[in-house]
Amino acid sequence: MQGRKTRKRIFLGSEGLSERNYGQYLRLIAEKYNLPVHIDCNYVTGGGDPLKVVEESIKLMKRNSRNHGDYLVKAIMLDADKLGRSNDRDNKIGPLASGSDIKLLYSNTNFEAFLLRHFPGSENKRPPADVSLSDLTKVWPEYFKGIDARSIYKQLGEDGLMRACTVEDSLKDFLIGIGFDRIFPSLRK
């Protein structure tokens, strides 16, 4: 009798349901290709303040680690447009994340602009936060905040993910760190 392959645990924290569902989209891809990882997708309800998202994500990560074991890779998705409201608070984010060995994946300017870069011809678009949703719905009319992982997968598939990785270095590095380069060798280029 052959034992089950142990999956490495990955922590992905975020500020909202949309980002959590994006993490679940990544999980669907990992499962499709039998990549032995489990992406534990979490979000901070009512997120928005980047420091609060990081602090609450770290608390959750530590609790989950105590209950279920350590994570191989730890990351948090944050919207860059939320930075700059308080330099004192912003300056605490990097050291706090670094002290817990967490990678920060910033969506520039926000998550909808990040998703936009998954579409052909939109890789280099960086719309301001106040127009990113309307720009995204021009190429993906069915999109809404909180859209489920299966709908994300159906729309973006693997091609959209690889397209985004050509311009999103932190996403690419995160994916390589969790082993996606074994199923997509082009990530190493």
Side-chain angles (χ1 to χ4, degrees), residues 76-160:
I76 300 172
M77 294 185 78
L78 297 167
D79 286 350
D81 71 324
K82 303 288 178 33
L83 297 172
R85 295 177 180 174
S86 169
N87 287 335
D88 290 340
R89 293 183 65 75
D90 292 350
N91 291 336
K92 294 176 183 176
I93 294 170
L96 188 58
S98 179
S100 293
D101 194 28
I102 293 175
K103 300 173 191 292
L104 297 174
L105 309 176
Y106 282 103
S107 297
N108 188 355
T109 52
N110 60 14
F111 186 67
E112 286 71 29
F114 168 79
L115 283 178
L116 181 63
R117 290 188 285 281
H118 289 68
F119 287 86
S122 298
E123 299 89 345
N124 293 309
K125 291 185 177 176
R126 300 204 181 267
D130 60 340
V131 297
S132 61
L133 179 58
S134 65
D135 284 2
L136 178 60
T137 56
K138 287 175 187 168
V139 295
W140 187 4
E142 302 81 15
Y143 176 80
F144 58 91
K145 287 181 178 279
I147 196 164
D148 65 279
R150 292 200 185 280
S151 296
I152 296 171
Y153 181 80
K154 183 178 175 186
Q155 182 64 46
L156 303 180
E158 291 91 356
D159 290 343

Side-chain angles (χ1 to χ4, degrees), residues 32-50:
K32 176 180 178 181
Y33 290 95
N34 296 313
L35 189 65
V37 297
H38 171 75
I39 304 172
D40 186 5
C41 308
N42 302 274
Y43 74 102
V44 177
T45 304
D49 171 27

